Amino acid sequence: MTITDKIPPPAPAAHTTRDGAHWAKPVDRLSAQVVGAGVDSVTGKRVANPLQGFGQMWQKTFRVPLEGSTMSPQEVIVIWKERFATFWPKAGRFYAPLAGIVPGEVALLDISPMPGSPVTLSTGVMVIYADDESFTFISPQGHMFSGWITFSAYRDGDMTVAQVQALERTSDPFDELGLMFGGRRMMETFWRETLGNVARAMGTMEPAVVSEAVCVDKRRQWRQATNVRNSATLRSMRHMLTAPARWITGRS
Amino acid sequence: MDERRFGAEVTEIPDEVRMRLSGDLNARADETLAAAYERVVALGPRRVSLDFGHVGYINSTGIALVVRLLAEARRDGRAVRAVGLTEHYREIFRITRLSDFMEIVEGDAA
């Protein structure tokens, strides 16, 4: 045996865990614990990253300078996490996890998949990352987008800026069609309104939201078209169409 | 925060190009990583290895940059593998399911 065999292995360098507390732990299947949501279509699903979707991959960025606000990025993120649901436009409902927006927690949400749609899409998100300047949601299988969205705040000169940045693909061909027929504009309006609400809550009287969209990959991944079997859009549509039958038979 | 400047060193080795990443992989790494991938494209290998052995911090924006690079490499028909990942970063690659799309090489970079 050599001397070196008796020397314990070096402890992992401190820098390897600087981000450790900010990331969720790996889970095979998601599990939601929220109050008030009607339908939990997320529990049992896996997460879906932007590479697992069907449509073109886009990076969409929305940002608003918090003019007139004295809040630091950290203060903005504290309030954003605490009151996340209240900043959403009326077109959607966000059911926050019982434990709040912390890594590993799952939230449920109801949104309209396209303008004027009689169908409400029930889906959710998992908090995959959270630190004191940002937090990120990843979508589950069946969500209309495969990808993640990061909410952050940072300093630009002497002003704090709030930002929403998504990296995503539509999950299946139906979702891609929905995006082409009004969904894209609806999502743009949704996040502009959200950021406007955040800015007003931080003390900005007239929020000026700017947006930018970059197509990262213009190809559609036809091998992922089978994602349609998990589609929350189709499941929600089926749930709505069969509602009269359930009402007649007295089943929920 | 004790932030470390991000770096990306591109080296041509037999059968592949290695991108040795160092420092903090966050939003500020965007331009450096993009420039490094442009150099990879110019060299035109069939495979690129991302060496994370000297990366000390990755946030969600940093992972998004890796996804963008991965998407571009797949578009170009280039295989991507990750080397030098600590157990912690292998976990992150598992939870984000990036490991479904790239080979994860155990241990240190060769």
PDB file of all heavy atoms in Angstrom, chain A residues 15-16 18-20 23 25 46-47 49 51-52 59 129 136 148 221 223, chain B residues 2 24 56-60 67-68 74 88-89 95-97 100-101:
ATOM      1  N   HIS A  15     -16.789  25.387  -4.459  1.00  0.00           N
ATOM      2  CA  HIS A  15     -17.506  26.007  -5.576  1.00  0.00           C
ATOM      3  C   HIS A  15     -18.465  25.050  -6.259  1.00  0.00           C
ATOM      4  O   HIS A  15     -19.359  25.456  -6.966  1.00  0.00           O
ATOM      5  CB  HIS A  15     -16.515  26.584  -6.597  1.00  0.00           C
ATOM      6  CG  HIS A  15     -15.746  25.569  -7.356  1.00  0.00           C
ATOM      7  ND1 HIS A  15     -14.445  25.269  -7.064  1.00  0.00           N
ATOM      8  CD2 HIS A  15     -16.084  24.766  -8.398  1.00  0.00           C
ATOM      9  CE1 HIS A  15     -14.013  24.329  -7.913  1.00  0.00           C
ATOM     10  NE2 HIS A  15     -14.987  24.019  -8.716  1.00  0.00           N
ATOM     11  N   THR A  16     -18.282  23.722  -6.042  1.00  0.00           N
ATOM     12  CA  THR A  16     -19.156  22.786  -6.740  1.00  0.00           C
ATOM     13  C   THR A  16     -20.564  22.790  -6.167  1.00  0.00           C
ATOM     14  O   THR A  16     -21.470  22.249  -6.769  1.00  0.00           O
ATOM     15  CB  THR A  16     -18.598  21.351  -6.675  1.00  0.00           C
ATOM     16  OG1 THR A  16     -18.495  20.990  -5.296  1.00  0.00           O
ATOM     17  CG2 THR A  16     -17.260  21.239  -7.363  1.00  0.00           C
ATOM     18  N   ARG A  18     -22.025  25.752  -4.848  1.00  0.00           N
ATOM     19  CA  ARG A  18     -22.528  27.115  -4.681  1.00  0.00           C
ATOM     20  C   ARG A  18     -23.972  27.245  -5.153  1.00  0.00           C
ATOM     21  O   ARG A  18     -24.734  28.043  -4.648  1.00  0.00           O
ATOM     22  CB  ARG A  18     -21.650  28.104  -5.465  1.00  0.00           C
ATOM     23  CG  ARG A  18     -20.591  28.758  -4.605  1.00  0.00           C
ATOM     24  CD  ARG A  18     -20.080  30.031  -5.245  1.00  0.00           C
ATOM     25  NE  ARG A  18     -19.481  29.758  -6.523  1.00  0.00           N
ATOM     26  CZ  ARG A  18     -19.579  30.563  -7.569  1.00  0.00           C
ATOM     27  NH1 ARG A  18     -20.302  31.647  -7.482  1.00  0.00           N
ATOM     28  NH2 ARG A  18     -18.982  30.276  -8.700  1.00  0.00           N
ATOM     29  N   ASP A  19     -24.337  26.444  -6.199  1.00  0.00           N
ATOM     30  CA  ASP A  19     -25.698  26.513  -6.715  1.00  0.00           C
ATOM     31  C   ASP A  19     -26.569  25.372  -6.197  1.00  0.00           C
ATOM     32  O   ASP A  19     -27.714  25.227  -6.612  1.00  0.00           O
ATOM     33  CB  ASP A  19     -25.674  26.505  -8.248  1.00  0.00           C
ATOM     34  CG  ASP A  19     -24.858  25.343  -8.800  1.00  0.00           C
ATOM     35  OD1 ASP A  19     -24.783  24.319  -8.111  1.00  0.00           O
ATOM     36  OD2 ASP A  19     -24.281  25.465  -9.886  1.00  0.00           O
ATOM     37  N   GLY A  20     -26.012  24.545  -5.305  1.00  0.00           N
ATOM     38  CA  GLY A  20     -26.687  23.312  -4.904  1.00  0.00           C
ATOM     39  C   GLY A  20     -28.084  23.515  -4.348  1.00  0.00           C
ATOM     40  O   GLY A  20     -29.011  22.776  -4.702  1.00  0.00           O
ATOM     41  N   TRP A  23     -31.250  24.346  -7.002  1.00  0.00           N
ATOM     42  CA  TRP A  23     -31.815  23.413  -7.978  1.00  0.00           C
ATOM     43  C   TRP A  23     -32.728  22.398  -7.303  1.00  0.00           C
ATOM     44  O   TRP A  23     -32.466  21.948  -6.191  1.00  0.00           O
ATOM     45  CB  TRP A  23     -30.700  22.655  -8.698  1.00  0.00           C
ATOM     46  CG  TRP A  23     -29.982  23.491  -9.717  1.00  0.00           C
ATOM     47  CD1 TRP A  23     -28.827  24.186  -9.532  1.00  0.00           C
ATOM     48  CD2 TRP A  23     -30.379  23.725 -11.058  1.00  0.00           C
ATOM     49  NE1 TRP A  23     -28.488  24.836 -10.692  1.00  0.00           N
ATOM     50  CE2 TRP A  23     -29.409  24.574 -11.655  1.00  0.00           C
ATOM     51  CE3 TRP A  23     -31.461  23.296 -11.848  1.00  0.00           C
ATOM     52  CZ2 TRP A  23     -29.497  25.003 -12.978  1.00  0.00           C
ATOM     53  CZ3 TRP A  23     -31.547  23.724 -13.164  1.00  0.00           C
ATOM     54  CH2 TRP A  23     -30.578  24.567 -13.719  1.00  0.00           C
ATOM     55  N   LYS A  25     -34.290  18.665  -6.805  1.00  0.00           N
ATOM     56  CA  LYS A  25     -33.706  17.325  -6.857  1.00  0.00           C
ATOM     57  C   LYS A  25     -34.396  16.525  -7.964  1.00  0.00           C
ATOM     58  O   LYS A  25     -35.576  16.740  -8.244  1.00  0.00           O
ATOM     59  CB  LYS A  25     -33.892  16.608  -5.509  1.00  0.00           C
ATOM     60  CG  LYS A  25     -33.192  17.288  -4.352  1.00  0.00           C
ATOM     61  CD  LYS A  25     -31.692  17.288  -4.547  1.00  0.00           C
ATOM     62  CE  LYS A  25     -30.968  18.041  -3.454  1.00  0.00           C
ATOM     63  NZ  LYS A  25     -29.624  18.462  -3.853  1.00  0.00           N
ATOM     64  N   ARG A  46     -43.862  13.402 -16.320  1.00  0.00           N
ATOM     65  CA  ARG A  46     -42.444  13.754 -16.264  1.00  0.00           C
ATOM     66  C   ARG A  46     -42.289  15.186 -16.758  1.00  0.00           C
ATOM     67  O   ARG A  46     -43.210  15.751 -17.356  1.00  0.00           O
ATOM     68  CB  ARG A  46     -41.630  12.811 -17.148  1.00  0.00           C
ATOM     69  CG  ARG A  46     -41.780  11.342 -16.759  1.00  0.00           C
ATOM     70  CD  ARG A  46     -40.914  10.463 -17.641  1.00  0.00           C
ATOM     71  NE  ARG A  46     -39.499  10.625 -17.307  1.00  0.00           N
ATOM     72  CZ  ARG A  46     -38.505  10.149 -18.050  1.00  0.00           C
ATOM     73  NH1 ARG A  46     -38.766   9.524 -19.181  1.00  0.00           N
ATOM     74  NH2 ARG A  46     -37.251  10.314 -17.690  1.00  0.00           N
ATOM     75  N   VAL A  47     -41.134  15.775 -16.510  1.00  0.00           N
ATOM     76  CA  VAL A  47     -40.890  17.120 -17.033  1.00  0.00           C
ATOM     77  C   VAL A  47     -40.498  17.006 -18.509  1.00  0.00           C
ATOM     78  O   VAL A  47     -40.098  15.948 -18.990  1.00  0.00           O
ATOM     79  CB  VAL A  47     -39.779  17.866 -16.256  1.00  0.00           C
ATOM     80  CG1 VAL A  47     -40.198  18.059 -14.811  1.00  0.00           C
ATOM     81  CG2 VAL A  47     -38.443  17.142 -16.352  1.00  0.00           C
ATOM     82  N   ASN A  49     -38.271  19.126 -21.422  1.00  0.00           N
ATOM     83  CA  ASN A  49     -37.403  20.274 -21.735  1.00  0.00           C
ATOM     84  C   ASN A  49     -37.586  20.701 -23.192  1.00  0.00           C
ATOM     85  O   ASN A  49     -38.322  20.051 -23.946  1.00  0.00           O
ATOM     86  CB  ASN A  49     -35.942  19.945 -21.388  1.00  0.00           C
ATOM     87  CG  ASN A  49     -35.286  18.992 -22.375  1.00  0.00           C
ATOM     88  OD1 ASN A  49     -35.651  18.926 -23.546  1.00  0.00           O
ATOM     89  ND2 ASN A  49     -34.301  18.240 -21.904  1.00  0.00           N
ATOM     90  N   LEU A  51     -35.928  20.426 -25.788  1.00  0.00           N
ATOM     91  CA  LEU A  51     -35.507  19.493 -26.831  1.00  0.00           C
ATOM     92  C   LEU A  51     -36.553  18.409 -27.057  1.00  0.00           C
ATOM     93  O   LEU A  51     -36.499  17.681 -28.041  1.00  0.00           O
ATOM     94  CB  LEU A  51     -34.171  18.846 -26.448  1.00  0.00           C
ATOM     95  CG  LEU A  51     -33.005  19.834 -26.328  1.00  0.00           C
ATOM     96  CD1 LEU A  51     -31.832  19.187 -25.612  1.00  0.00           C
ATOM     97  CD2 LEU A  51     -32.577  20.311 -27.698  1.00  0.00           C
ATOM     98  N   GLN A  52     -37.501  18.296 -26.124  1.00  0.00           N
ATOM     99  CA  GLN A  52     -38.479  17.219 -26.214  1.00  0.00           C
ATOM    100  C   GLN A  52     -39.782  17.648 -26.862  1.00  0.00           C
ATOM    101  O   GLN A  52     -40.709  16.850 -26.972  1.00  0.00           O
ATOM    102  CB  GLN A  52     -38.738  16.654 -24.809  1.00  0.00           C
ATOM    103  CG  GLN A  52     -37.619  15.727 -24.395  1.00  0.00           C
ATOM    104  CD  GLN A  52     -37.336  15.735 -22.912  1.00  0.00           C
ATOM    105  OE1 GLN A  52     -37.597  16.716 -22.227  1.00  0.00           O
ATOM    106  NE2 GLN A  52     -36.770  14.654 -22.424  1.00  0.00           N
ATOM    107  N   GLN A  59     -36.622  31.405 -28.279  1.00  0.00           N
ATOM    108  CA  GLN A  59     -36.279  32.084 -27.021  1.00  0.00           C
ATOM    109  C   GLN A  59     -36.989  33.422 -27.036  1.00  0.00           C
ATOM    110  O   GLN A  59     -36.730  34.262 -27.901  1.00  0.00           O
ATOM    111  CB  GLN A  59     -34.780  32.294 -26.880  1.00  0.00           C
ATOM    112  CG  GLN A  59     -34.442  33.001 -25.561  1.00  0.00           C
ATOM    113  CD  GLN A  59     -32.953  33.038 -25.313  1.00  0.00           C
ATOM    114  OE1 GLN A  59     -32.353  32.080 -24.881  1.00  0.00           O
ATOM    115  NE2 GLN A  59     -32.347  34.177 -25.616  1.00  0.00           N
ATOM    116  N   TYR A 129     -35.681  25.744 -10.458  1.00  0.00           N
ATOM    117  CA  TYR A 129     -34.537  26.526  -9.966  1.00  0.00           C
ATOM    118  C   TYR A 129     -35.070  27.794  -9.296  1.00  0.00           C
ATOM    119  O   TYR A 129     -36.043  28.389  -9.769  1.00  0.00           O
ATOM    120  CB  TYR A 129     -33.636  26.923 -11.149  1.00  0.00           C
ATOM    121  CG  TYR A 129     -32.417  27.726 -10.735  1.00  0.00           C
ATOM    122  CD1 TYR A 129     -31.220  27.094 -10.406  1.00  0.00           C
ATOM    123  CD2 TYR A 129     -32.463  29.118 -10.663  1.00  0.00           C
ATOM    124  CE1 TYR A 129     -30.107  27.831 -10.022  1.00  0.00           C
ATOM    125  CE2 TYR A 129     -31.363  29.853 -10.267  1.00  0.00           C
ATOM    126  CZ  TYR A 129     -30.183  29.208  -9.955  1.00  0.00           C
ATOM    127  OH  TYR A 129     -29.092  29.940  -9.561  1.00  0.00           O
ATOM    128  N   THR A 136     -37.172  29.609 -11.969  1.00  0.00           N
ATOM    129  CA  THR A 136     -37.445  28.999 -13.269  1.00  0.00           C
ATOM    130  C   THR A 136     -38.447  27.873 -13.135  1.00  0.00           C
ATOM    131  O   THR A 136     -38.355  27.056 -12.221  1.00  0.00           O
ATOM    132  CB  THR A 136     -36.127  28.442 -13.862  1.00  0.00           C
ATOM    133  OG1 THR A 136     -35.199  29.512 -14.013  1.00  0.00           O
ATOM    134  CG2 THR A 136     -36.366  27.782 -15.211  1.00  0.00           C
ATOM    135  N   TRP A 148     -38.797  25.757 -20.554  1.00  0.00           N
ATOM    136  CA  TRP A 148     -38.797  26.402 -19.249  1.00  0.00           C
ATOM    137  C   TRP A 148     -38.833  27.904 -19.413  1.00  0.00           C
ATOM    138  O   TRP A 148     -38.565  28.459 -20.477  1.00  0.00           O
ATOM    139  CB  TRP A 148     -37.641  25.953 -18.380  1.00  0.00           C
ATOM    140  CG  TRP A 148     -36.275  26.051 -18.951  1.00  0.00           C
ATOM    141  CD1 TRP A 148     -35.612  27.188 -19.284  1.00  0.00           C
ATOM    142  CD2 TRP A 148     -35.394  24.967 -19.233  1.00  0.00           C
ATOM    143  NE1 TRP A 148     -34.359  26.876 -19.735  1.00  0.00           N
ATOM    144  CE2 TRP A 148     -34.202  25.521 -19.720  1.00  0.00           C
ATOM    145  CE3 TRP A 148     -35.491  23.592 -19.099  1.00  0.00           C
ATOM    146  CZ2 TRP A 148     -33.109  24.740 -20.099  1.00  0.00           C
ATOM    147  CZ3 TRP A 148     -34.423  22.816 -19.460  1.00  0.00           C
ATOM    148  CH2 TRP A 148     -33.243  23.389 -19.953  1.00  0.00           C
ATOM    149  N   GLN A 221     -39.830  18.941 -35.034  1.00  0.00           N
ATOM    150  CA  GLN A 221     -39.330  17.594 -34.731  1.00  0.00           C
ATOM    151  C   GLN A 221     -40.485  16.591 -34.861  1.00  0.00           C
ATOM    152  O   GLN A 221     -41.171  16.304 -33.884  1.00  0.00           O
ATOM    153  CB  GLN A 221     -38.735  17.560 -33.320  1.00  0.00           C
ATOM    154  CG  GLN A 221     -37.617  18.574 -33.113  1.00  0.00           C
ATOM    155  CD  GLN A 221     -36.791  18.287 -31.894  1.00  0.00           C
ATOM    156  OE1 GLN A 221     -35.584  18.080 -31.971  1.00  0.00           O
ATOM    157  NE2 GLN A 221     -37.434  18.274 -30.727  1.00  0.00           N
ATOM    158  N   ARG A 223     -40.576  13.493 -35.080  1.00  0.00           N
ATOM    159  CA  ARG A 223     -40.547  12.295 -34.241  1.00  0.00           C
ATOM    160  C   ARG A 223     -41.171  12.551 -32.869  1.00  0.00           C
ATOM    161  O   ARG A 223     -41.480  11.611 -32.141  1.00  0.00           O
ATOM    162  CB  ARG A 223     -39.113  11.792 -34.097  1.00  0.00           C
ATOM    163  CG  ARG A 223     -38.198  12.704 -33.325  1.00  0.00           C
ATOM    164  CD  ARG A 223     -36.770  12.165 -33.282  1.00  0.00           C
ATOM    165  NE  ARG A 223     -35.871  13.082 -32.622  1.00  0.00           N
ATOM    166  CZ  ARG A 223     -35.388  14.195 -33.184  1.00  0.00           C
ATOM    167  NH1 ARG A 223     -35.713  14.524 -34.413  1.00  0.00           N
ATOM    168  NH2 ARG A 223     -34.571  14.992 -32.510  1.00  0.00           N
TER     169      ARG A 223
ATOM    170  N   ASP B   2     -19.564  35.698  -5.088  1.00  0.00           N
ATOM    171  CA  ASP B   2     -18.199  35.433  -5.534  1.00  0.00           C
ATOM    172  C   ASP B   2     -18.243  34.871  -6.960  1.00  0.00           C
ATOM    173  O   ASP B   2     -18.054  33.686  -7.197  1.00  0.00           O
ATOM    174  CB  ASP B   2     -17.564  34.434  -4.562  1.00  0.00           C
ATOM    175  CG  ASP B   2     -16.152  34.066  -4.989  1.00  0.00           C
ATOM    176  OD1 ASP B   2     -15.536  34.879  -5.705  1.00  0.00           O
ATOM    177  OD2 ASP B   2     -15.695  32.981  -4.617  1.00  0.00           O
ATOM    178  N   ASP B  24     -18.252  30.625 -14.129  1.00  0.00           N
ATOM    179  CA  ASP B  24     -19.684  30.577 -13.839  1.00  0.00           C
ATOM    180  C   ASP B  24     -20.501  30.604 -15.118  1.00  0.00           C
ATOM    181  O   ASP B  24     -20.362  31.513 -15.939  1.00  0.00           O
ATOM    182  CB  ASP B  24     -20.085  31.777 -12.961  1.00  0.00           C
ATOM    183  CG  ASP B  24     -19.506  31.678 -11.560  1.00  0.00           C
ATOM    184  OD1 ASP B  24     -18.830  30.658 -11.270  1.00  0.00           O
ATOM    185  OD2 ASP B  24     -19.728  32.603 -10.769  1.00  0.00           O
ATOM    186  N   GLY B  56     -17.827  26.104 -12.038  1.00  0.00           N
ATOM    187  CA  GLY B  56     -18.112  26.073 -10.609  1.00  0.00           C
ATOM    188  C   GLY B  56     -19.519  26.479 -10.240  1.00  0.00           C
ATOM    189  O   GLY B  56     -19.929  26.358  -9.078  1.00  0.00           O
ATOM    190  N   TYR B  57     -20.284  26.955 -11.207  1.00  0.00           N
ATOM    191  CA  TYR B  57     -21.623  27.448 -10.895  1.00  0.00           C
ATOM    192  C   TYR B  57     -22.447  27.423 -12.178  1.00  0.00           C
ATOM    193  O   TYR B  57     -21.983  27.883 -13.225  1.00  0.00           O
ATOM    194  CB  TYR B  57     -21.530  28.882 -10.358  1.00  0.00           C
ATOM    195  CG  TYR B  57     -22.849  29.520  -9.988  1.00  0.00           C
ATOM    196  CD1 TYR B  57     -23.337  29.436  -8.690  1.00  0.00           C
ATOM    197  CD2 TYR B  57     -23.597  30.205 -10.930  1.00  0.00           C
ATOM    198  CE1 TYR B  57     -24.542  30.022  -8.339  1.00  0.00           C
ATOM    199  CE2 TYR B  57     -24.809  30.801 -10.588  1.00  0.00           C
ATOM    200  CZ  TYR B  57     -25.277  30.703  -9.288  1.00  0.00           C
ATOM    201  OH  TYR B  57     -26.464  31.280  -8.954  1.00  0.00           O
ATOM    202  N   ILE B  58     -23.634  26.846 -12.095  1.00  0.00           N
ATOM    203  CA  ILE B  58     -24.560  26.873 -13.241  1.00  0.00           C
ATOM    204  C   ILE B  58     -25.934  27.275 -12.713  1.00  0.00           C
ATOM    205  O   ILE B  58     -26.443  26.647 -11.776  1.00  0.00           O
ATOM    206  CB  ILE B  58     -24.681  25.507 -13.932  1.00  0.00           C
ATOM    207  CG1 ILE B  58     -23.304  24.966 -14.355  1.00  0.00           C
ATOM    208  CG2 ILE B  58     -25.576  25.610 -15.168  1.00  0.00           C
ATOM    209  CD1 ILE B  58     -23.358  23.588 -15.024  1.00  0.00           C
ATOM    210  N   ASN B  59     -26.521  28.309 -13.299  1.00  0.00           N
ATOM    211  CA  ASN B  59     -27.908  28.608 -12.941  1.00  0.00           C
ATOM    212  C   ASN B  59     -28.807  28.234 -14.117  1.00  0.00           C
ATOM    213  O   ASN B  59     -28.345  27.686 -15.123  1.00  0.00           O
ATOM    214  CB  ASN B  59     -28.077  30.067 -12.488  1.00  0.00           C
ATOM    215  CG  ASN B  59     -27.869  31.064 -13.620  1.00  0.00           C
ATOM    216  OD1 ASN B  59     -27.754  30.694 -14.787  1.00  0.00           O
ATOM    217  ND2 ASN B  59     -27.812  32.327 -13.275  1.00  0.00           N
ATOM    218  N   SER B  60     -30.093  28.506 -13.985  1.00  0.00           N
ATOM    219  CA  SER B  60     -31.032  28.024 -15.003  1.00  0.00           C
ATOM    220  C   SER B  60     -30.793  28.696 -16.347  1.00  0.00           C
ATOM    221  O   SER B  60     -31.009  28.094 -17.396  1.00  0.00           O
ATOM    222  CB  SER B  60     -32.475  28.230 -14.539  1.00  0.00           C
ATOM    223  OG  SER B  60     -32.704  29.588 -14.243  1.00  0.00           O
ATOM    224  N   VAL B  67     -28.662  24.248 -23.613  1.00  0.00           N
ATOM    225  CA  VAL B  67     -29.729  23.727 -24.482  1.00  0.00           C
ATOM    226  C   VAL B  67     -29.650  24.359 -25.866  1.00  0.00           C
ATOM    227  O   VAL B  67     -29.781  23.679 -26.893  1.00  0.00           O
ATOM    228  CB  VAL B  67     -31.119  24.000 -23.857  1.00  0.00           C
ATOM    229  CG1 VAL B  67     -32.233  23.678 -24.850  1.00  0.00           C
ATOM    230  CG2 VAL B  67     -31.292  23.164 -22.607  1.00  0.00           C
ATOM    231  N   ARG B  68     -29.413  25.653 -25.905  1.00  0.00           N
ATOM    232  CA  ARG B  68     -29.310  26.335 -27.206  1.00  0.00           C
ATOM    233  C   ARG B  68     -28.150  25.766 -27.999  1.00  0.00           C
ATOM    234  O   ARG B  68     -28.266  25.516 -29.210  1.00  0.00           O
ATOM    235  CB  ARG B  68     -29.136  27.839 -27.006  1.00  0.00           C
ATOM    236  CG  ARG B  68     -30.429  28.524 -26.585  1.00  0.00           C
ATOM    237  CD  ARG B  68     -30.237  29.998 -26.405  1.00  0.00           C
ATOM    238  NE  ARG B  68     -29.711  30.633 -27.614  1.00  0.00           N
ATOM    239  CZ  ARG B  68     -29.539  31.941 -27.759  1.00  0.00           C
ATOM    240  NH1 ARG B  68     -29.871  32.737 -26.776  1.00  0.00           N
ATOM    241  NH2 ARG B  68     -29.075  32.446 -28.870  1.00  0.00           N
ATOM    242  N   ARG B  74     -27.338  19.698 -32.839  1.00  0.00           N
ATOM    243  CA  ARG B  74     -28.226  18.692 -33.427  1.00  0.00           C
ATOM    244  C   ARG B  74     -28.653  19.122 -34.819  1.00  0.00           C
ATOM    245  O   ARG B  74     -28.734  18.303 -35.736  1.00  0.00           O
ATOM    246  CB  ARG B  74     -29.444  18.480 -32.523  1.00  0.00           C
ATOM    247  CG  ARG B  74     -29.121  17.670 -31.268  1.00  0.00           C
ATOM    248  CD  ARG B  74     -30.152  17.871 -30.193  1.00  0.00           C
ATOM    249  NE  ARG B  74     -31.484  17.462 -30.588  1.00  0.00           N
ATOM    250  CZ  ARG B  74     -31.940  16.217 -30.508  1.00  0.00           C
ATOM    251  NH1 ARG B  74     -31.175  15.260 -30.046  1.00  0.00           N
ATOM    252  NH2 ARG B  74     -33.169  15.923 -30.870  1.00  0.00           N
ATOM    253  N   HIS B  88     -23.228  16.472  -8.685  1.00  0.00           N
ATOM    254  CA  HIS B  88     -24.248  17.521  -8.584  1.00  0.00           C
ATOM    255  C   HIS B  88     -24.729  17.955  -9.975  1.00  0.00           C
ATOM    256  O   HIS B  88     -25.936  18.059 -10.236  1.00  0.00           O
ATOM    257  CB  HIS B  88     -23.655  18.714  -7.818  1.00  0.00           C
ATOM    258  CG  HIS B  88     -24.499  19.945  -7.868  1.00  0.00           C
ATOM    259  ND1 HIS B  88     -25.799  19.974  -7.425  1.00  0.00           N
ATOM    260  CD2 HIS B  88     -24.220  21.199  -8.321  1.00  0.00           C
ATOM    261  CE1 HIS B  88     -26.294  21.192  -7.592  1.00  0.00           C
ATOM    262  NE2 HIS B  88     -25.362  21.945  -8.140  1.00  0.00           N
ATOM    263  N   TYR B  89     -23.790  18.174 -10.892  1.00  0.00           N
ATOM    264  CA  TYR B  89     -24.204  18.620 -12.225  1.00  0.00           C
ATOM    265  C   TYR B  89     -24.821  17.481 -13.032  1.00  0.00           C
ATOM    266  O   TYR B  89     -25.681  17.726 -13.880  1.00  0.00           O
ATOM    267  CB  TYR B  89     -23.035  19.282 -12.956  1.00  0.00           C
ATOM    268  CG  TYR B  89     -22.716  20.633 -12.344  1.00  0.00           C
ATOM    269  CD1 TYR B  89     -21.423  21.000 -12.024  1.00  0.00           C
ATOM    270  CD2 TYR B  89     -23.740  21.514 -12.056  1.00  0.00           C
ATOM    271  CE1 TYR B  89     -21.154  22.219 -11.430  1.00  0.00           C
ATOM    272  CE2 TYR B  89     -23.483  22.733 -11.460  1.00  0.00           C
ATOM    273  CZ  TYR B  89     -22.191  23.081 -11.151  1.00  0.00           C
ATOM    274  OH  TYR B  89     -21.956  24.283 -10.557  1.00  0.00           O
ATOM    275  N   ILE B  95     -32.349  16.086 -14.068  1.00  0.00           N
ATOM    276  CA  ILE B  95     -33.661  16.683 -13.792  1.00  0.00           C
ATOM    277  C   ILE B  95     -34.141  17.546 -14.959  1.00  0.00           C
ATOM    278  O   ILE B  95     -35.330  17.635 -15.232  1.00  0.00           O
ATOM    279  CB  ILE B  95     -33.671  17.485 -12.477  1.00  0.00           C
ATOM    280  CG1 ILE B  95     -35.103  17.800 -12.123  1.00  0.00           C
ATOM    281  CG2 ILE B  95     -32.839  18.749 -12.551  1.00  0.00           C
ATOM    282  CD1 ILE B  95     -35.315  18.225 -10.725  1.00  0.00           C
ATOM    283  N   THR B  96     -33.208  18.134 -15.674  1.00  0.00           N
ATOM    284  CA  THR B  96     -33.619  18.921 -16.846  1.00  0.00           C
ATOM    285  C   THR B  96     -33.775  18.028 -18.076  1.00  0.00           C
ATOM    286  O   THR B  96     -34.172  18.485 -19.125  1.00  0.00           O
ATOM    287  CB  THR B  96     -32.580  20.009 -17.160  1.00  0.00           C
ATOM    288  OG1 THR B  96     -31.297  19.393 -17.299  1.00  0.00           O
ATOM    289  CG2 THR B  96     -32.520  21.056 -16.072  1.00  0.00           C
ATOM    290  N   ARG B  97     -33.445  16.755 -17.918  1.00  0.00           N
ATOM    291  CA  ARG B  97     -33.519  15.738 -18.965  1.00  0.00           C
ATOM    292  C   ARG B  97     -32.594  16.048 -20.135  1.00  0.00           C
ATOM    293  O   ARG B  97     -32.796  15.584 -21.244  1.00  0.00           O
ATOM    294  CB  ARG B  97     -34.965  15.521 -19.415  1.00  0.00           C
ATOM    295  CG  ARG B  97     -35.845  14.956 -18.290  1.00  0.00           C
ATOM    296  CD  ARG B  97     -37.205  14.580 -18.753  1.00  0.00           C
ATOM    297  NE  ARG B  97     -37.172  13.434 -19.673  1.00  0.00           N
ATOM    298  CZ  ARG B  97     -38.242  13.019 -20.348  1.00  0.00           C
ATOM    299  NH1 ARG B  97     -39.398  13.626 -20.188  1.00  0.00           N
ATOM    300  NH2 ARG B  97     -38.170  11.990 -21.161  1.00  0.00           N
ATOM    301  N   ASP B 100     -30.914  13.024 -21.678  1.00  0.00           N
ATOM    302  CA  ASP B 100     -31.581  12.232 -22.718  1.00  0.00           C
ATOM    303  C   ASP B 100     -31.016  12.559 -24.099  1.00  0.00           C
ATOM    304  O   ASP B 100     -31.244  11.828 -25.049  1.00  0.00           O
ATOM    305  CB  ASP B 100     -33.086  12.519 -22.743  1.00  0.00           C
ATOM    306  CG  ASP B 100     -33.804  12.047 -21.490  1.00  0.00           C
ATOM    307  OD1 ASP B 100     -33.122  11.548 -20.570  1.00  0.00           O
ATOM    308  OD2 ASP B 100     -35.032  12.175 -21.425  1.00  0.00           O
ATOM    309  N   PHE B 101     -30.317  13.672 -24.193  1.00  0.00           N
ATOM    310  CA  PHE B 101     -29.922  14.173 -25.512  1.00  0.00           C
ATOM    311  C   PHE B 101     -28.421  14.269 -25.707  1.00  0.00           C
ATOM    312  O   PHE B 101     -27.967  14.701 -26.753  1.00  0.00           O
ATOM    313  CB  PHE B 101     -30.553  15.553 -25.763  1.00  0.00           C
ATOM    314  CG  PHE B 101     -32.027  15.474 -25.883  1.00  0.00           C
ATOM    315  CD1 PHE B 101     -32.835  15.552 -24.776  1.00  0.00           C
ATOM    316  CD2 PHE B 101     -32.610  15.255 -27.118  1.00  0.00           C
ATOM    317  CE1 PHE B 101     -34.211  15.436 -24.877  1.00  0.00           C
ATOM    318  CE2 PHE B 101     -33.976  15.135 -27.241  1.00  0.00           C
ATOM    319  CZ  PHE B 101     -34.778  15.230 -26.111  1.00  0.00           C
TER     320      PHE B 101
END
